Amino acid sequence: MEKSAGDSTTTVRDNKFPAGIPFIVGNEGAERFSYYGMRQILYIYLTALFIGFVAESTVDPDLLSQAKIQATQWTHLFMAGVYFFPLVGAVLADRLLGKYRVIFWVSLIYVAGHAALAIGGRFASLENLAGAEYAIIAGLVLIAIGSGGIKPCVSANVGDQFTAKNSHLVGKVFQIFYFIINFGSFFASILTPWFYKRFGPEVAFGIPGILMAIAAFVFWLGRKKFVKVPPSPGGKLGRIDFFASTFLIVPLLLGVFVLLEESEKVVHAVTDGESDALLAELGNIASHWWWAALVGIVALIVGFGLAHRRQQIKEDSGFLAVLFLSWRNRKNRQEGENFWGPAIRHYGEEAAAGPPAVLRIMVVFSMISVFWALFDQHSSTWVEQAKSMNLQLTVPAAIWSNWVIYAVPAAALFGAIVLFSWVANYTLPKILKIAVPGIILAWGLVVGVQQFNSGESMTLDLLPAQIAALNPLLVMIIIPLLNVLVYNPLEKAGRPLKPLHRMSIGMFMAGFAFVTVALIQTRIEAMGQGTVPVLWQLIPYTIITCAEVLVSITGLEFAYTQAPRAMKSTIMGFWLLCVTFGNVLVAFLAPLQSLSLTTFFWVFAGLMAVAAVVFTILASFYKGKSYLQS
């Protein structure tokens, strides 16, 4: 029981998690394993597909270079889609179908996508390259749609399960979510590349598909446990909202398509310094893709028309509604009013403050796309670099063979049991929580003595895609270290590190991470293939992961607090678009790899340096206001 200060109001706190939480956590863990598992082998598989699954050493260098460029483009286009489709999924869930139905049905689409990838793997084993390519396209599109439907709904669905009595547990659930994401990512990055090498793409893509099917089944099991908030407004208005949003994003899709179709010619014209060739190519784009511009304009007109019709039927205070009203009444502003004055009088101060607040955040965050262009390359170009390094690792023989390969899965399984028993409001016997870790540690001590006596070592052959497991592992280490060693001491000293300052530091760190991979690549080219130890990649992975924590986690928190209540979904959608644009940038510049991977890395290091400087300048002029949920 709790009493609020100064009155007699009694608030009863319920320390039990809502009944639906275990099913949501189980679904999230399996879904993240399936996503990161398939993503981690995607670049390797695509490169092999585009050269016909023959040894790279037997392929013509120009053909191999083109295959790597195409694999980079496809990988980053897929990731762009994963962060683009939430814009549609969010509207579909919030305005038309509801979160439960969207999550469940797109989970089945997700499963179908994995099935298509596995079928493509079977085609590959039968040397049906055309069938394998069609299957991979279908699979990636379906998974992007599936992930896009789930991504914007999961966090909101968690929040829907809580009431005032147990709202104090929301923070713990999101901590669990973050742990589950990195937990799943770590083991997926370790295991799926091994499955790929040992059993081939059919099994390697199939296992994540099985995990996704389990995720959908677990979510379905909780259908009677969930609090299901109905969509608003639903019905006819919900359909109009959905179709208006869909038409408004069509020009963006067409623009990306045209951009990437012409990227190689444009990039080479720029790098060769041929201004005439560049002008000719731009003219070629205008003459060949006029239909795309026409379709885009028509889609915009239809989208804005539907949005306007929706306001005529029943007015709301969304971004477009406030913008439309301010524009229509721009000549009716009273003395001293700015552009948004009519909307303030009509909707109220906070509702009308939403669009300008979002636009201010968008201006500052416009450079964040460059950060994501760098960060997501640990699933593509960094894997390519690892392929050319010495992937052998010497480890203590007894500790590895008699303890690590058994203790780590045992500890992970026990940790999962503890986690799920906690969110299921079941308390494990205390003796069990003490005995299991104790046995694992004692076992380790015994093996340690054995290792000390024998002194024997063994060599492990790592796989290039497995190195990316460093990222989720480092995330789980760096977050508490930053809190203990940086944030908390600065706060105690009365000099807290402000969000935008954290992000500026993170942007510069991301650029420095690419300086280090460029230097490593220079060393590889000087010493030859397979000579530079892959553990050198630990340096850029540590730097880019620090940057991730400083930019990504801080940015989400900052954007959420700076947007008024009615605009929080809008700004989250823009944040996801930043990830999309970053991956599109990588896909567009992928032809630079034909020069050299070193040059490619230096270009992105330079782009990041410029973006970091611009971000810091924009951040210094930013003046905002925090809006927290009541």
Side-chain angles (χ1 to χ4, degrees), residues 497-573:
L497 198 57
K498 295 180 180 179
L500 289 178
H501 292 166
R502 295 183 192 182
M503 295 178 71
S504 294
I505 294 170
M507 299 273 278
F508 282 105
M509 289 185 73
F512 186 59
F514 265 66
V515 170
T516 61
V517 290
L519 293 174
I520 291 171
Q521 190 63 31
T522 302
R523 185 68 171 170
I524 292 169
E525 292 173 3
M527 295 186 64
Q529 297 278 323
T531 54
V532 178
V534 76
L535 284 183
W536 279 105
Q537 280 199 331
L538 179 61
I539 297 173
Y541 267 105
T542 301
I543 298 171
I544 200 74
T545 304
C546 284
E548 175 195 6
V549 174
L550 289 167
V551 174
S552 179
I553 297 175
T554 305
L556 278 171
E557 176 188 349
F558 178 77
Y560 188 81
T561 59
Q562 293 294 298
R565 283 189 287 270
M567 296 291 152
K568 293 192 186 297
S569 295
T570 302
I571 200 61
M572 290 299 106

Side-chain angles (χ1 to χ4, degrees), residues 213-261:
I214 292 173
F217 179 66
V218 168
F219 194 73
W220 178 81
L221 287 177
R223 65 195 183 283
K224 295 182 180 179
K225 304 286 187 180
F226 296 137
V227 173
K228 299 175 185 176
V229 176
S232 178
K236 179 181 179 180
L237 289 177
R239 286 192 294 273
I240 295 176
D241 287 338
F242 172 70
F243 285 112
S245 301
T246 302
F247 275 107
L248 288 174
I249 66 174
V250 167
L252 182 59
L253 285 172
L254 289 170
V256 169
F257 175 75
V258 173
L259 189 71
L260 295 177
E261 282 292 304

Side-chain angles (χ1 to χ4, degrees), residues 51 170 494 585 589:
I51 61 174
V170 172
L585 177 62
L589 293 178

